[in-house]
Amino acid sequence: GIPSGMQSYREGNVVTVRWNAPTSGAAVGDYVLTVSGSAQLTLPISGREISSPVPRGTYRFTVAARNSCGMGPVFPAQSVTVP
């Protein structure tokens, strides 16, 4: 299933992204957080929240649940700008 309730926001230069587990589908093994924009990376993550200080720029985030069957649907992208 698709993760639900994704939120991305900043406090100063610290960006936080959090989400809830899917409400349907098989058990989640981990999540795949993809960052694009001012940084490009894909992170496998076992939790449902990550925070980090970042330099100025605009960051775009998506997240999907993954298990032994593969990766599920991606939550629609959200953007955060750090001025």
Side-chain angles (χ1 to χ4, degrees):
I2 188 168
S4 64
M6 185 171 132
Q7 301 173 338
S8 57
Y9 59 91
R10 73 169 183 87
E11 293 180 9
N13 73 325
V14 176
V15 172
T16 299
V17 182
R18 64 173 54 138
W19 58 91
N20 298 316
T23 57
S24 64
V28 175
D30 66 356
Y31 296 92
V32 177
L33 177 68
T34 302
V35 182
S36 60
S38 295
Q40 305 287 323
L41 58 121
T42 300
L43 299 171
I45 182 171
S46 59
R48 294 190 319 250
E49 180 176 332
I50 188 168
S51 293
S52 180
V54 296
R56 290 183 182 151
T58 298
Y59 301 86
R60 183 176 156 123
F61 303 96
T62 61
V63 68
R66 181 170 64 176
N67 61 25
S68 60
C69 297
M71 197 159 70
V74 175
F75 193 92
Q78 294 186 1
S79 295
V80 173
T81 298
V82 177

PDB file of all heavy atoms in Angstrom, residues 20-33:
ATOM      1  N   ASN A  20       2.949   8.077   7.720  1.00  0.00           N
ATOM      2  CA  ASN A  20       2.327   6.953   8.409  1.00  0.00           C
ATOM      3  C   ASN A  20       2.440   5.704   7.545  1.00  0.00           C
ATOM      4  O   ASN A  20       2.570   5.794   6.319  1.00  0.00           O
ATOM      5  CB  ASN A  20       0.849   7.246   8.688  1.00  0.00           C
ATOM      6  CG  ASN A  20       0.687   8.443   9.596  1.00  0.00           C
ATOM      7  OD1 ASN A  20       1.382   8.596  10.589  1.00  0.00           O
ATOM      8  ND2 ASN A  20      -0.234   9.317   9.245  1.00  0.00           N
ATOM      9  N   ALA A  21       2.335   4.567   8.191  1.00  0.00           N
ATOM     10  CA  ALA A  21       2.376   3.289   7.477  1.00  0.00           C
ATOM     11  C   ALA A  21       1.162   3.177   6.549  1.00  0.00           C
ATOM     12  O   ALA A  21       0.128   3.800   6.791  1.00  0.00           O
ATOM     13  CB  ALA A  21       2.372   2.138   8.482  1.00  0.00           C
ATOM     14  N   PRO A  22       1.281   2.383   5.490  1.00  0.00           N
ATOM     15  CA  PRO A  22       0.117   2.154   4.625  1.00  0.00           C
ATOM     16  C   PRO A  22      -1.028   1.541   5.427  1.00  0.00           C
ATOM     17  O   PRO A  22      -0.803   0.789   6.380  1.00  0.00           O
ATOM     18  CB  PRO A  22       0.635   1.155   3.590  1.00  0.00           C
ATOM     19  CG  PRO A  22       2.123   1.295   3.612  1.00  0.00           C
ATOM     20  CD  PRO A  22       2.470   1.673   5.013  1.00  0.00           C
ATOM     21  N   THR A  23      -2.234   1.840   5.023  1.00  0.00           N
ATOM     22  CA  THR A  23      -3.408   1.295   5.718  1.00  0.00           C
ATOM     23  C   THR A  23      -3.855  -0.029   5.109  1.00  0.00           C
ATOM     24  O   THR A  23      -4.766  -0.667   5.629  1.00  0.00           O
ATOM     25  CB  THR A  23      -4.575   2.292   5.680  1.00  0.00           C
ATOM     26  OG1 THR A  23      -4.864   2.606   4.318  1.00  0.00           O
ATOM     27  CG2 THR A  23      -4.217   3.566   6.446  1.00  0.00           C
ATOM     28  N   SER A  24      -3.227  -0.437   4.001  1.00  0.00           N
ATOM     29  CA  SER A  24      -3.562  -1.714   3.383  1.00  0.00           C
ATOM     30  C   SER A  24      -2.320  -2.309   2.748  1.00  0.00           C
ATOM     31  O   SER A  24      -1.288  -1.654   2.640  1.00  0.00           O
ATOM     32  CB  SER A  24      -4.649  -1.527   2.321  1.00  0.00           C
ATOM     33  OG  SER A  24      -4.159  -0.714   1.274  1.00  0.00           O
ATOM     34  N   GLY A  25      -2.426  -3.559   2.343  1.00  0.00           N
ATOM     35  CA  GLY A  25      -1.313  -4.225   1.680  1.00  0.00           C
ATOM     36  C   GLY A  25      -0.518  -5.082   2.643  1.00  0.00           C
ATOM     37  O   GLY A  25      -0.839  -5.191   3.827  1.00  0.00           O
ATOM     38  N   ALA A  26       0.512  -5.691   2.118  1.00  0.00           N
ATOM     39  CA  ALA A  26       1.378  -6.586   2.895  1.00  0.00           C
ATOM     40  C   ALA A  26       2.221  -5.789   3.897  1.00  0.00           C
ATOM     41  O   ALA A  26       2.336  -4.571   3.798  1.00  0.00           O
ATOM     42  CB  ALA A  26       2.282  -7.362   1.954  1.00  0.00           C
ATOM     43  N   ALA A  27       2.809  -6.502   4.840  1.00  0.00           N
ATOM     44  CA  ALA A  27       3.664  -5.859   5.845  1.00  0.00           C
ATOM     45  C   ALA A  27       4.836  -5.134   5.181  1.00  0.00           C
ATOM     46  O   ALA A  27       5.397  -5.607   4.196  1.00  0.00           O
ATOM     47  CB  ALA A  27       4.185  -6.901   6.820  1.00  0.00           C
ATOM     48  N   VAL A  28       5.190  -3.998   5.742  1.00  0.00           N
ATOM     49  CA  VAL A  28       6.283  -3.177   5.222  1.00  0.00           C
ATOM     50  C   VAL A  28       7.619  -3.695   5.742  1.00  0.00           C
ATOM     51  O   VAL A  28       7.772  -3.941   6.938  1.00  0.00           O
ATOM     52  CB  VAL A  28       6.089  -1.702   5.639  1.00  0.00           C
ATOM     53  CG1 VAL A  28       7.275  -0.860   5.206  1.00  0.00           C
ATOM     54  CG2 VAL A  28       4.800  -1.152   5.074  1.00  0.00           C
ATOM     55  N   GLY A  29       8.577  -3.857   4.833  1.00  0.00           N
ATOM     56  CA  GLY A  29       9.937  -4.206   5.232  1.00  0.00           C
ATOM     57  C   GLY A  29      10.739  -2.957   5.566  1.00  0.00           C
ATOM     58  O   GLY A  29      11.422  -2.885   6.571  1.00  0.00           O
ATOM     59  N   ASP A  30      10.658  -1.959   4.695  1.00  0.00           N
ATOM     60  CA  ASP A  30      11.274  -0.658   4.917  1.00  0.00           C
ATOM     61  C   ASP A  30      10.613   0.340   3.975  1.00  0.00           C
ATOM     62  O   ASP A  30       9.662   0.004   3.275  1.00  0.00           O
ATOM     63  CB  ASP A  30      12.797  -0.695   4.745  1.00  0.00           C
ATOM     64  CG  ASP A  30      13.262  -0.984   3.324  1.00  0.00           C
ATOM     65  OD1 ASP A  30      12.419  -1.236   2.429  1.00  0.00           O
ATOM     66  OD2 ASP A  30      14.479  -0.961   3.080  1.00  0.00           O
ATOM     67  N   TYR A  31      11.112   1.558   4.002  1.00  0.00           N
ATOM     68  CA  TYR A  31      10.586   2.620   3.148  1.00  0.00           C
ATOM     69  C   TYR A  31      11.722   3.128   2.269  1.00  0.00           C
ATOM     70  O   TYR A  31      12.898   3.026   2.631  1.00  0.00           O
ATOM     71  CB  TYR A  31      10.029   3.772   3.987  1.00  0.00           C
ATOM     72  CG  TYR A  31       8.851   3.348   4.821  1.00  0.00           C
ATOM     73  CD1 TYR A  31       9.023   2.888   6.118  1.00  0.00           C
ATOM     74  CD2 TYR A  31       7.564   3.392   4.294  1.00  0.00           C
ATOM     75  CE1 TYR A  31       7.934   2.481   6.878  1.00  0.00           C
ATOM     76  CE2 TYR A  31       6.479   2.988   5.050  1.00  0.00           C
ATOM     77  CZ  TYR A  31       6.672   2.531   6.338  1.00  0.00           C
ATOM     78  OH  TYR A  31       5.591   2.124   7.078  1.00  0.00           O
ATOM     79  N   VAL A  32      11.363   3.689   1.131  1.00  0.00           N
ATOM     80  CA  VAL A  32      12.340   4.307   0.238  1.00  0.00           C
ATOM     81  C   VAL A  32      11.972   5.778   0.122  1.00  0.00           C
ATOM     82  O   VAL A  32      10.920   6.125  -0.417  1.00  0.00           O
ATOM     83  CB  VAL A  32      12.346   3.627  -1.140  1.00  0.00           C
ATOM     84  CG1 VAL A  32      13.324   4.327  -2.068  1.00  0.00           C
ATOM     85  CG2 VAL A  32      12.694   2.147  -0.999  1.00  0.00           C
ATOM     86  N   LEU A  33      12.825   6.634   0.682  1.00  0.00           N
ATOM     87  CA  LEU A  33      12.646   8.081   0.619  1.00  0.00           C
ATOM     88  C   LEU A  33      13.538   8.606  -0.497  1.00  0.00           C
ATOM     89  O   LEU A  33      14.744   8.353  -0.503  1.00  0.00           O
ATOM     90  CB  LEU A  33      13.036   8.723   1.949  1.00  0.00           C
ATOM     91  CG  LEU A  33      12.958  10.248   2.002  1.00  0.00           C
ATOM     92  CD1 LEU A  33      11.501  10.710   1.924  1.00  0.00           C
ATOM     93  CD2 LEU A  33      13.614  10.769   3.265  1.00  0.00           C
TER      94      LEU A  33
END
